[in-house]
Amino acid sequence: MIPRSAGRADQDFFIVARDIKYAYEGGIEALKGVNLRIKRGEFIAIVGGNGSGKTTLAKNLNGLLRPTSGAVDVAGMPAAKMTVAELARFVGYAFQNPDHQLFSGTVDEEVRFGPKNLGMIESEVAKQAEHAIALMGLQGFRSAQPLSLTLGIRRKVSIASVIAMDPQVILLDEPTTGLDAGETTDLFGCIRALNEEGHTLILITHDMRLVAEHAKRVLVMAGGRIVLDSDPAGVFSDLEILKSSKLEPPPVTLLAHRLAESRIPKDTATPEQLVDRIVALAGGRR
Amino acid sequence: MRPLELRDVTFTHADSPKRALDGISLDVEKGEFVTLLGENGSGKSTVCMLSNGLIPHAIRGQLGGSVKVFGYEVAEHSVAEFATRVGIVFQEPESQLFCMSVEEEVSFGPENLAVPREEIRERVEWALELTGMKGYNDRSPFSLSGGEKQRVAIAAALSMRPEMLVLDEPAYALDPVGRTELYRVLRELKEKQGMTVLLAERDAEDASTFSDRIVLMKAGRVVGNGTPREMLRDPDRLRSIGIWPPQLSEVSALLNRRLGRSDFDFSSVQEAEKMISALISSGKGGAR
């Protein structure tokens, strides 16, 4: 087994991708040279239109796909030298469709499968599974059959089964697709707790509302490249980047840009922020 | 004849103890664009499946009340009888596309009705034009983007020349630009072709721009029915039924609360810009 931390890069950057390219069979180049460095504990959103390379990039970070050229280091070691199972201890990946991942008879078995498969001893498996189930709030569903649950709960089960392997980095591919407002709020409560626990979170989404509310860093992808790497404020102040990356700017962003002459900053990203700024400028009455 | 008329409708799936529809009454008028807005499990998909008879004919369960589609009681007529009047499009385009080319896909329906070849050709061209897919005839549906696939699914429904189009979260898996393009196509169908559109959605932001009327649903009941402006005004009400309020409704409500007013009710970015810039310039100097 590979030691959990090794090398110099571990202190600075947990994931380093150097000029990675990836071409699918048939020659479609989905990544055209991506450079990326990720620290422990970051909360990153990867945004971009369908086909921009978001999922391909994510899968190149956890070994589900291997770069056609370029290299990825994880925890200071070349990912190319690690098996998918070894990488899974560092970078976990929750699929967009949880049903691609769920196959066990009960939630409990599902969550235990990963750590067991990694060769953890029984007491460690139990501890990890318990922790994952508690974090995702699944205590009431231990003996339920995963595929009989609602989509919101199935998605939590699929994330719990990733967490149970205790990876430092957790990749979530469009985790809110198909969820309604209540389920999304609930899921993001759990996701924030994971980040506060020290996990690095990488969220693939095209929901700019989630980006505004949760992400600390945003990678905008278009045509297989990262076209902007910035904090959310930088992304929301760049209407051209949003439009050219197939991301409709949210109404609040459009409004803030139109109100620039009234001294509303262009990086305004949420209704609360906008109203705070308007009230401060309008002054006087409360 | 009214495209859809529901009176005190209840429906319970054969394998479920809970009512999917718990006594709803609802009309859709000819040429109207109506959006059913509600969270998962609110009953909006059930209404969609009633509108062409998939319920009760293909999906079994206990149906109560009266469902009339273009004047015909659905329980008394087969799905095939509604096929030329109601086109239905689901969430996942992949689940409905199965042919080798876009043209085959779009001509499949009318071929089954033994429509003459020349007319099929006309219908295919018409449907592809309306959905912005002209020239894609020979492409494989599986080589298309999610948004394009969904527009092919709509073209396939249109080639049956329906009078009403029913769509159950058609933009589910699309990126924001794909969503906007899809809804623009639907709006044009309504405006230029007089198509009646019934749409199930969870996204109030889209519904606010494209619908004539919004029906709020919760737990199998209708809890609101009116213009987008009336239905989307109150963010707390929307949150209570599991819907993210449109951002402009949130901005209006927050401004009213913070400034002790009640007159902010923005329905467009332009309108909001005008009122807010006036507010800011009138406040200047006063506070500092």
Side-chain angles (χ1 to χ4, degrees):
Chain A
M1 182 91 31
I2 292 170
R4 303 227 65 181
S5 65
R8 182 169 45 88
D10 195 33
Q11 274 95 55
D12 307 331
F13 295 101
F14 194 74
I15 295 182
V16 179
R18 273 178 258 99
D19 196 27
I20 55 171
K21 294 183 180 159
Y22 183 83
Y24 284 97
E25 267 175 55
I28 297 166
E29 198 171 46
L31 294 181
K32 295 178 179 165
V34 168
N35 288 291
L36 181 60
R37 302 202 289 180
I38 297 172
K39 286 183 182 161
R40 277 172 186 272
E42 286 198 84
F43 196 136
I44 299 177
I46 305 181
V47 300
N50 294 342
S52 61
K54 306 185 296 280
T55 296
T56 308
L57 174 59
K59 288 183 174 173
N60 271 275
L61 300 182
N62 74 343
L64 282 181
L65 298 175
R66 302 291 186 167
T68 318
S69 71
V72 178
D73 287 350
V74 173
M77 294 167 288
K81 299 229 165 84
M82 291 187 251
T83 64
V84 176
E86 285 163 345
L87 272 166
R89 299 210 58 175
F90 299 106
V91 186
Y93 178 77
F95 284 83
Q96 177 173 10
N97 184 344
D99 304 343
H100 289 169
Q101 197 177 323
L102 302 176
F103 51 85
S104 301
T106 68
V107 167
D108 210 39
E109 285 169 36
E110 189 70 57
V111 176
R112 285 160 171 265
F113 178 83
K116 219 186 256 176
N117 207 31
L118 291 180
M120 290 188 194
I121 55 167
E122 180 52 33
S123 62
E124 187 67 10
V125 170
K127 197 179 121 207
Q128 290 299 338
E130 204 45 48
H131 179 64
I133 283 174
L135 255 176
M136 298 311 291
L138 292 168
Q139 293 91 335
F141 299 97
R142 274 179 232 273
S143 48
Q145 194 195 338
L147 291 173
S148 72
L149 300 167
T150 64
L151 178 64
I153 304 291
R154 295 208 299 283
R155 192 148 282 143
K156 282 180 156 191
V157 174
S158 83
I159 297 173
S161 66
V162 171
I163 300 171
M165 292 184 270
D166 196 26
Q168 158 56 218
V169 179
I170 298 163
L171 281 159
L172 302 167
D173 197 347
E174 307 260 11
T176 59
T177 303
L179 302 194
D180 54 46
E183 291 168 327
T184 300
T185 306
D186 183 34
L187 181 64
F188 266 81
C190 301
I191 289 174
R192 288 191 93 124
L194 274 173
N195 186 231
E196 278 153 22
E197 230 185 29
H199 287 285
T200 308
L201 281 216
I202 304 177
L203 169 70
I204 299 175
T205 186
H206 35 232
D207 186 337
M208 296 309 284
R209 185 192 293 258
L210 292 174
V211 173
E213 286 175 8
H214 301 285
K216 307 235 168 52
R217 177 180 174 194
V218 186
L219 309 175
V220 182
M221 292 198 72
R225 293 195 169 86
I226 294 175
V227 293
L228 183 66
D229 180 348
S230 139
D231 59 3
V235 174
F236 284 98
S237 42
D238 197 337
L239 277 193
E240 287 315 306
I241 280 281
L242 288 176
K243 284 184 182 155
S244 67
S245 314
K246 294 196 187 176
L247 299 162
E248 270 310 272
V252 158
T253 308
L254 288 175
L255 182 55
H257 282 251
R258 295 178 79 117
L259 287 166
E261 273 184 31
S262 302
R263 293 180 293 140
I264 295 290
K266 285 186 175 173
D267 65 5
T268 307
T270 67
E272 292 76 14
Q273 209 177 23
L274 177 64
V275 169
D276 281 345
R277 289 169 172 182
I278 294 168
V279 170
L281 283 169
R285 301 161 60 190
R286 267 174 301 153
Chain B
M1 275 299 159
R2 200 172 256 159
L4 186 63
E5 193 174 297
L6 273 62
R7 289 290 174 273
D8 303 318
V9 176
T10 57
F11 183 73
T12 308
H13 286 273
D15 57 354
S16 166
K18 214 179 92 216
R19 277 183 174 180
L21 294 182
D22 192 15
I24 83 165
S25 296
L26 179 68
D27 292 337
V28 175
E29 305 294 342
K30 193 168 166 21
E32 236 191 335
F33 194 132
V34 177
T35 297
L36 307 171
L37 195 61
E39 63 187 346
N40 294 335
S42 59
K44 51 192 197 307
S45 297
T46 309
V47 173
C48 290
M49 290 187 285
L50 276 169
S51 69
N52 75 337
L54 275 177
I55 292 178
H57 299 295
I59 294 167
R60 289 181 316 112
Q62 195 64 42
L63 178 64
S66 158
V67 180
K68 284 187 180 159
V69 179
F70 292 101
Y72 298 97
E73 198 67 53
V74 277
E76 294 162 12
H77 298 266
S78 70
V79 176
E81 289 176 75
F82 294 110
T84 54
R85 307 196 80 171
V86 183
I88 193 157
V89 176
F90 297 102
Q91 258 182 11
E92 309 264 4
E94 278 87 354
S95 67
Q96 335 178 42
L97 302 178
F98 48 85
C99 294
M100 296 303 286
S101 75
V102 167
E103 173 147 354
E104 281 175 54
E105 197 71 61
V106 179
S107 41
F108 182 81
E111 265 168 16
N112 273 352
L113 295 180
V115 172
R117 184 164 292 276
E118 196 46 41
E119 191 187 333
I120 292 178
R121 185 177 292 276
E122 279 168 27
R123 287 191 188 191
V124 168
E125 289 310 311
W126 171 79
L128 291 179
E129 168 99 54
L130 284 176
T131 49
M133 295 300 290
K134 203 176 154 85
Y136 281 66
N137 304 49
D138 298 329
R139 292 278 297 274
S140 157
F142 301 97
S143 70
L144 304 176
S145 75
E148 290 166 341
K149 280 181 195 159
Q150 199 56 291
R151 283 185 275 146
V152 172
I154 293 173
L158 286 176
S159 68
M160 299 289 276
R161 296 270 190 188
E163 293 162 62
M164 173 164 69
L165 207 51
V166 177
L167 307 101
D168 188 0
E169 294 195 46
Y172 172 82
L174 306 188
D175 60 39
V177 167
R179 295 180 73 94
T180 308
E181 178 62 17
L182 178 72
Y183 284 119
R184 196 186 54 73
V185 164
L186 293 179
R187 187 73 208 177
E188 272 186 24
L189 279 171
K190 176 221 141 79
E191 272 163 14
K192 298 197 177 140
Q193 308 290 322
M195 183 70 73
T196 306
V197 181
L198 177 65
L199 179 75
E201 249 303 339
R202 249 173 311 148
D203 191 324
E205 209 78 78
D206 287 330
S208 67
T209 345
F210 296 98
S211 320
D212 297 324
R213 190 153 59 90
I214 288 180
V215 176
L216 302 178
M217 293 190 66
K218 168 89 177 170
R221 290 167 184 256
V222 169
V223 296
N225 189 344
T227 64
R229 203 163 179 146
E230 290 161 358
M231 291 300 106
L232 302 176
R233 181 175 285 156
D234 181 355
D236 293 335
R237 178 190 193 187
L238 292 173
R239 273 192 211 96
S240 76
I241 64 162
I243 296 294
W244 293 114
Q247 286 192 326
L248 291 180
S249 303
E250 294 204 80
V251 171
S252 307
L254 282 167
L255 271 179
N256 283 333
R257 195 174 308 155
R258 294 279 294 276
L259 299 173
R261 295 168 62 153
S262 58
D263 55 330
F264 291 115
D265 181 17
F266 311 130
S267 64
S268 72
V269 170
Q270 289 81 346
E271 190 188 329
E273 179 200 357
K274 212 183 274 175
M275 288 189 77
I276 293 171
S277 55
L279 173 74
I280 291 175
S281 60
S282 74
K284 258 181 217 161
R288 262 152 278 160

